[in-house]
Amino acid sequence: MDNLADVLTAVSHPSRRAIIRRLAESGPARFTDIAEPFDLALNAVTKHLKLLERAGLIRRERKGREVFISFHGEPLRAVAAWVHEYESFWNERLDQFEKYFKDKRRKERRR
């Protein structure tokens, strides 16, 4: 459960979601490339990357003198599984909601 909390915390901030999106779409990137589009101090970007790394959503790989950061989506499966547990609950509630309005419409037509 701690990993789930780490992942949910990591994806809770729009800047971190933007970093994930960028890495998922464009592939591995250097720190400066990741930081460039943000109007944030480099220290703030570093903190965001540390949170993403702690959650297992990014990985660092050294290639020569450079370090490349890449997206690792596997931890998002825990989030998907957790959300899936509630899918039947919400489907039942939405079915009840739909039935209520269908019944109400039928009653109104009978008048």
Side-chain angles (χ1 to χ4, degrees):
M1 187 67 171
D2 287 337
N3 191 42
L4 178 60
D6 289 343
V7 175
L8 289 170
T9 299
V11 299
S12 70
H13 195 280
S15 294
R16 292 190 290 268
R17 290 192 304 270
I19 291 169
I20 289 170
R21 185 179 316 109
R22 187 245 183 260
L23 291 171
E25 291 173 356
S26 302
R30 296 174 305 183
F31 172 81
T32 53
D33 297 330
I34 292 170
E36 189 265 324
F38 295 100
D39 188 25
L40 298 170
L42 294 180
N43 190 34
V45 175
T46 298
K47 288 181 180 182
H48 285 309
L49 291 173
K50 284 183 181 181
L51 264 168
L52 291 168
E53 192 169 24
R54 184 178 318 133
L57 290 167
I58 64 168
R59 292 187 176 157
R60 298 174 194 255
E61 183 182 344
R62 181 172 289 280
K63 291 183 180 178
R65 291 182 170 192
E66 296 185 305
V67 175
F68 287 86
I69 300 165
S70 61
F71 172 64
H72 179 68
E74 185 65 29
L76 292 174
R77 288 183 190 270
V79 175
W82 181 75
V83 169
H84 182 72
E85 289 178 27
Y86 294 93
E87 183 177 9
S88 63
F89 168 82
W90 286 110
N91 284 337
E92 287 174 23
R93 296 308 181 276
L94 290 171
D95 289 346
Q96 291 172 356
F97 195 59
E98 181 181 30
K99 183 182 179 314
Y100 169 80
F101 282 104
K102 283 182 178 178
D103 291 348
K104 184 177 178 180
R105 198 175 309 133
R106 272 191 228 119
K107 288 178 185 176
E108 288 174 356
R109 287 180 189 159
R110 291 181 194 161
R111 290 183 193 171

